[in-house]
Amino acid sequence: MDFSLFYFANNDAEDSDRYRLLMDGARFADDHGFAAVWTPERHFHPFGGLYPNPSVTSAAVAAVTKRVAVRAGSVVAPLHHPMRIAEEWSVVDNLSNGRAGIAFASGWHAADFALRPENYEGRRSELLKTVETIRRLWRREPVQLTDGAGELVELTMYPPPVQPELPVWLTSSGTPETFTLAGTNGMGMLTHLLGQDVDVLAQRIDGYRRAYRDSPQNTSGQGHVALMLHTFVGADREAVRETVREPFSRYLASSFDLVVKAAEAAGVDGASMSAELKSMSPEDLEFLVSQAFDRYFETSGMFGTVDDCMAVLKRLKDAGVDEVACLIDFGVAGDRVIESFDDLAELHDTWRAHEAAR
């Protein structure tokens, strides 16, 4: 089971060095045997808004690293022309000498589709069409497009990529259908524990593996499951709890509006959820955030000492996870996160020794 770093900052403060943690973390991951650095695509909101274009941040990561994979987690496929995605990521593949990879998502926040409103209703079907076109372009196959004169032309993507096949994942919040869809289409799976516990995740991974084995695009293997996990490792569990409590609580509170929008996209009554949140007193909202923090700290993240986190890793390994993507930029001060890298490196090395002993 591999380790990687994942970024999804909530940043609405004035900061002259917003990307220091990204760059320092990338160098750390490269030096300590981590598998990848993931950056997302987010628009028009402080929650994740440091990362409107993961090909740009991945190009920056590629420039300061030599070994670690540089990945999008995730490109919102229906927001972009497939040729542009293929071109940008081929540049990243060349800059990194063959280390690029993309997790794709259909998108869920209606405001994001201000960039391409015509694709909002059909975003899920548009996702697979876009991914298939990008895969063809990556293999140097021409595609037919309409030019400015209204004529059909066959075009090939440039520059040629380094990798003959683009590593591809599908992002899911936990719906079983998405796991099956990823497996059927021979794609990896990127997911998280927000809304699904480890036992449920294990069942969905099992369904993904079955679909992947039966996929006509599968030539070998079992697929690949990466799990995003909020992470902070330290020498004392209670000290870690107090270090992350206030920033992670702010992080959870800032996500409420986005959670409501996600519920609406999933067909849940997001309007009533929104009205309920708006009607809450500050004290009630603080209590809600406090309860959410306690739940996430205990069950949905990787917080505490090396021993605490080793117990989490063993459960995830048994569930079938192939890679733990440690989300480190959820609001703890950058200097404090960088200080904790020694403990994260110790966890990584302890896990490696555990696997070697097995």
Side-chain angles (χ1 to χ4, degrees):
M1 189 165 65
D2 288 324
F3 281 47
S4 59
L5 293 186
F6 201 103
Y7 291 83
F8 207 113
N10 179 61
N11 190 310
D12 55 3
E14 292 297 324
D15 192 338
S16 61
D17 199 2
R18 289 188 173 97
Y19 296 97
R20 179 192 170 202
L21 184 55
L22 173 63
M23 295 293 98
D24 284 0
R27 295 183 186 97
F28 162 80
D30 203 49
D31 291 341
H32 288 82
F34 281 46
V37 174
W38 303 77
T39 54
E41 176 181 352
R42 282 289 302 123
H43 301 283
F44 316 133
H45 198 283
F47 194 80
L50 280 181
Y51 305 103
N53 189 335
S55 68
V56 175
T57 46
S58 291
V61 168
V64 300
T65 57
K66 297 179 180 178
R67 187 201 56 80
V68 72
V70 285
R71 299 178 186 157
S74 307
V75 168
V76 183
L79 294 184
H80 311 285
H81 195 288
M83 181 66 84
R84 289 295 291 151
I85 297 173
E87 287 175 337
E88 290 181 9
W89 282 91
S90 185
V91 171
V92 175
D93 204 47
N94 278 271
L95 288 171
S96 65
N97 194 27
R99 294 183 279 137
I102 307 178
F104 288 98
S106 60
W108 49 272
H109 201 303
D112 291 353
F113 282 81
L115 296 174
R116 212 172 180 193
E118 69 275 13
N119 280 355
Y120 181 65
E121 290 301 324
R123 61 194 180 279
R124 291 182 179 87
S125 60
E126 193 69 28
L127 168 65
L128 288 182
K129 290 193 295 183
T130 299
V131 172
E132 181 53 35
T133 301
I134 292 167
R135 281 173 150 176
R136 289 174 53 204
L137 289 165
W138 201 270
R139 299 181 191 123
R140 310 298 293 144
E141 298 175 17
V143 298
Q144 275 199 338
L145 299 173
T146 304
D147 68 12
E151 301 292 331
L152 283 176
V153 290
E154 283 201 338
L155 299 174
T156 304
M157 181 265 291
Y158 285 92
V162 175
Q163 298 176 97
E165 292 284 341
L166 174 66
V168 171
W169 289 258
L170 192 61
T171 302
S172 174
S173 59
T175 55
E177 295 79 11
T178 311
F179 279 74
T180 302
L181 187 67
T184 301
N185 287 275
M187 304 165 71
M189 191 76 243
L190 173 63
T191 189
H192 52 68
L193 288 180
L194 311 180
Q196 56 182 343
D197 62 24
V198 176
D199 292 335
V200 171
L201 176 64
Q203 297 172 12
R204 290 170 181 167
I205 291 175
D206 185 58
Y208 163 76
R209 303 285 189 207
R210 289 196 304 271
Y212 191 94
R213 286 193 294 268
D214 295 339
S215 168
Q217 302 196 52
N218 175 29
T219 56
S220 63
Q222 301 283 312
H224 184 272
V225 177
L227 179 72
M228 184 207 78
L229 209 60
H230 295 84
T231 300
F232 194 95
V233 188
D236 179 85
R237 181 174 175 83
E238 290 311 308
V240 167
R241 187 191 297 269
E242 292 314 305
T243 296
V244 305
R245 180 186 298 278
E246 193 272 336
F248 194 58
S249 295
R250 281 201 323 269
Y251 186 83
L252 290 170
S254 71
S255 72
F256 280 171
D257 178 58
L258 297 180
V259 169
V260 169
K261 295 297 185 183
E264 291 172 341
V268 180
D269 187 3
S272 64
M273 291 173 60
S274 178
E276 185 175 352
L277 285 171
K278 289 176 181 177
S279 68
M280 283 184 174
S281 68
E283 293 77 14
D284 287 342
L285 197 57
E286 184 178 345
F287 177 75
L288 180 64
V289 170
S290 174
Q291 290 229 312
F293 170 80
D294 290 337
R295 183 172 68 253
Y296 283 118
F297 188 91
E298 297 295 338
T299 67
S300 300
M302 190 158 66
F303 299 116
T305 66
V306 168
D307 287 344
D308 294 328
C309 296
M310 282 293 293
V312 174
L313 291 171
K314 289 172 185 177
R315 287 194 70 203
L316 298 179
K317 177 70 173 180
D318 290 343
V321 173
D322 299 301
E323 176 180 325
V324 175
C326 304
L327 195 159
I328 61 171
D329 65 336
F330 52 83
V332 177
D335 287 344
R336 185 67 188 89
V337 176
I338 291 167
E339 288 173 9
S340 75
F341 281 168
D342 287 343
D343 295 297
L344 183 56
E346 181 185 350
L347 175 63
H348 174 269
D349 294 345
T350 302
W351 178 256
R352 283 283 174 265
H354 168 75
E355 288 196 315
R358 288 182 68 186

